[in-house]
Amino acid sequence: MAKQISAIRGMNDIYGDDAVAFDYLIGTAEKTLKQYGYNSIRLPIVEKTELFARSIGEVTDIVEKEMYTFEDRNGDSLTLRPEGTAGCVRAIVQNGLAHNQIQKLYYTGPMFRYERPQRGRYRQFHQFGVEAFGLATPDIDAELIILTARLWELLGLDNLELQINSLGSQEARIAYREKLVVYLSEHKSKLDEDSLRRLESNPLRILDTKNPEMKDVVEGAPKLIDHLDEESKQHFDVVKSHLDDIGIPYVINPNLVRGLDYYNRTVFEWVTTELGAQGTVCAGGRYDGLVEQIGGKSVPAVGFAMGVERLVALLMDKQKVPEYAQTDVYIVTVGNNVSRPGMVISEMVRDAFPELNVQMNCGGGSFKSQFKKADKSGAKYAIVMGEQEVESKLVAIKPLRVEGEQLTVEWDALTGHLETIFKS
């Protein structure tokens, strides 16, 4: 026997109830986004490495430590996408989708980061991303947050806390950065290795540290929100006003800076305490400079991404997942040459009732074994065909999970009887 081949660590098969929850989440999210006027975009999984170095930032953990990067046969450096925004921006620039027009887009698919696998953090993980281009006003920032709140309600998730902050303009951040570096330098002995490395390259990232030993240092640092430019203050106030009007509670987290270099002004996260260390299930914000940074004309933009696996874990924990699609009708066929007319009958039923789940027995078997399969499928009714029924062009409709008598009807009358049964 050949040696079994296992999946790569941190890259998991999704099946069974998890797959049902996965599809349910994506389907509900797509329906919600369409309700708000967003359209789907499909993006490549592999991009040029330069795209992520330029957008995410060369001194970020993602670019320095976590990307799956390789050279192709032409010697070009390529990377499996670690996040979706950069690729979406590249697409709208390359295809001229943001020039003098508004684009509201969503996408979903796998992302890749070389991390230590744990619950809610995998090396291949899935995101559902949403991006809006061409709108500089705070109402679109608020709309993105509001539609996520609606999505949690539709999914039955009521344990998520909204944290918001403003990073201000680039000029305000540069001025604040100088004050922060002075403060952190005075407390250099208390900084961990990562923070010391970031002190010169990206000190704002230190505020987002997960090291509990640095809690006092971070809490004592000057707050960016106290050093915002006036325009950013007004922008943030309007975002908060929209949330207040809709009745969405939030917490202002002055240390929320997000993990990517391209954000400005509004940033937000939806967090939970029910997934251990991986508490963020949805995060995003405004990134007005990124389109120009990637080679396009200056276009305002804002977006977010949801961690699908983390939300699936919440759905599973709270038992908010629908059951497997239950079979409505199971076609039982026994005897010589019965499967052929059985297949014709099954397609006839599917044509007449596209909303029904119709399963035909494949693989043969006795009446007893086929009824066991029908029962296991959860079918409400069985349509039974043997050699005599085929000869007489009849079928039997047998109730399996509902009350009623078995009926024998002609083939031409079958759909009429089924319509009566399923509408009653």
Side-chain angles (χ1 to χ4, degrees):
M1 181 181 294
K3 182 181 177 181
Q4 180 177 327
I5 299 175
S6 301
I8 299 168
R9 184 168 182 248
M11 299 187 181
N12 304 316
D13 304 309
I14 300 171
Y15 58 92
D17 289 338
D18 285 335
V20 174
F22 196 103
D23 291 346
Y24 172 59
L25 171 62
I26 297 300
T28 306
E30 288 182 334
K31 183 178 179 180
T32 303
L33 266 296
K34 288 174 182 176
Q35 188 179 14
Y36 281 79
Y38 289 74
N39 297 308
S40 172
I41 185 170
R42 304 283 180 175
L43 302 168
I45 290 176
V46 180
E47 297 273 7
K48 293 180 179 178
T49 304
E50 179 189 5
L51 173 66
F52 303 112
R54 197 190 299 183
S55 60
I56 297 173
E58 292 188 11
V59 295
T60 59
D61 283 350
I62 294 175
V63 173
E64 288 183 332
K65 302 177 183 178
E66 299 172 359
M67 295 202 312
Y68 282 89
T69 297
F70 59 95
E71 285 191 1
D72 69 2
R73 293 182 180 181
N74 291 326
D76 295 325
S77 182
L78 305 179
T79 295
L80 296 176
R81 61 186 183 190
E83 59 94 44
T85 299
C88 190
V89 172
R90 191 268 314 144
I92 69 111
V93 171
Q94 181 177 343
N95 296 293
L97 301 178
H99 184 59
N100 293 328
Q101 56 186 306
I102 294 168
Q103 291 288 348
K104 299 169 77 174
L105 305 170
Y106 70 86
Y107 52 86
T108 186
M111 312 291 166
F112 302 85
R113 297 183 192 177
Y114 189 84
E115 299 185 288
R116 184 171 63 86
Q118 52 189 293
R119 191 188 191 205
R121 184 184 287 270
Y122 307 106
R123 291 177 178 174
Q124 176 178 303
F125 59 99
H126 295 78
Q127 285 186 343
F128 191 103
V130 179
E131 319 289 353
F133 300 96
L135 295 164
T137 49
D139 48 4
I140 189 64
D141 305 35
E143 179 181 87
L144 287 176
I145 297 172
I146 291 166
L147 72 84
T148 55
R150 180 179 293 277
L151 178 59
W152 312 147
E153 184 178 355
L154 291 170
L155 293 171
L157 299 177
D158 55 5
N159 58 333
L160 300 176
E161 177 184 82
L162 172 61
Q163 298 182 3
I164 61 174
N165 192 23
S166 176
L167 303 183
S169 65
Q170 183 178 4
E171 293 75 20
R173 280 204 310 283
I174 291 172
Y176 168 74
R177 185 182 189 276
E178 295 176 359
K179 295 182 175 66
L180 181 62
V181 169
V182 170
Y183 168 82
L184 293 173
S185 297
E186 293 172 351
H187 298 81
K188 211 168 185 178
S189 62
K190 297 181 180 179
L191 301 183
D192 60 19
E193 186 178 341
D194 276 345
S195 298
L196 287 171
R197 182 172 53 86
R198 290 170 172 165
L199 184 58
E200 297 301 326
S201 60
N202 199 336
L204 269 71
R205 198 68 54 73
I206 297 174
L207 300 176
D208 204 25
T209 179
K210 302 298 187 289
N211 185 348
E213 295 180 4
M214 289 182 53
K215 182 179 179 182
D216 291 341
V217 176
V218 170
E219 288 184 351
K223 308 303 181 188
L224 175 55
I225 201 166
D226 297 329
H227 297 79
L228 295 180
D229 55 290
E230 193 57 38
E231 190 175 352
S232 293
K233 285 181 183 177
Q234 294 175 4
H235 188 103
F236 194 45
D237 286 342
V238 174
V239 172
K240 291 186 291 183
S241 296
H242 282 300
L243 299 180
D244 292 336
D245 290 343
I246 303 300
I248 297 174
Y250 55 85
V251 174
I252 297 175
N253 179 358
N255 293 327
L256 177 59
V257 296
R258 298 296 300 123
L260 308 177
D261 282 353
Y262 48 63
Y263 286 109
N264 70 298
R265 290 195 176 165
T266 308
V267 289
F268 66 92
E269 291 186 358
W270 288 93
V271 299
T272 178
T273 59
E274 299 185 13
L275 293 175
Q278 309 309 317
T280 301
V281 298
C282 174
R286 182 164 282 279
Y287 52 94
D288 291 335
L290 185 57
V291 176
E292 192 172 12
Q293 195 174 321
I294 289 180
K297 295 182 179 179
S298 180
V299 174
V302 60
F304 69 81
M306 302 184 297
V308 175
E309 280 84 353
R310 296 180 187 180
L311 287 166
V312 164
L314 285 180
L315 288 170
M316 297 294 288
D317 288 348
K318 292 193 165 292
Q319 298 181 330
K320 298 292 185 179
V321 183
E323 294 181 352
Y324 274 107
Q326 294 295 306
T327 302
D328 295 299
V329 176
Y330 194 97
I331 313 290
V332 173
T333 59
V334 178
N336 294 325
N337 299 319
V338 178
S339 64
R340 289 178 61 189
M343 189 73 75
V344 172
I345 290 295
S346 66
E347 291 304 308
M348 182 177 72
V349 175
R350 291 186 183 108
D351 286 341
F353 306 98
E355 73 280 5
L356 295 185
N357 184 324
V358 179
Q359 187 176 163
M360 177 180 163
N361 181 81
C362 292
S366 65
F367 275 116
K368 184 177 180 180
S369 66
Q370 291 193 39
F371 272 108
K372 281 186 177 179
K373 292 179 183 178
D375 184 61
K376 188 175 181 180
S377 77
K380 300 179 181 70
Y381 293 90
I383 292 179
V384 185
M385 300 175 65
E387 293 178 0
Q388 288 184 346
E389 284 81 9
V390 171
E391 188 176 340
S392 304
K393 294 201 173 186
L394 300 171
V395 296
I397 305 174
K398 181 178 178 61
L400 299 179
R401 278 177 169 73
V402 293
E403 293 183 1
E405 298 293 328
Q406 178 172 315
L407 300 174
T408 300
V409 300
E410 295 179 350
W411 290 1
D412 292 343
L414 174 60
T415 56
H417 279 279
L418 290 178
E419 184 172 7
T420 301
I421 287 171
F422 281 101
K423 285 190 175 180
S424 62

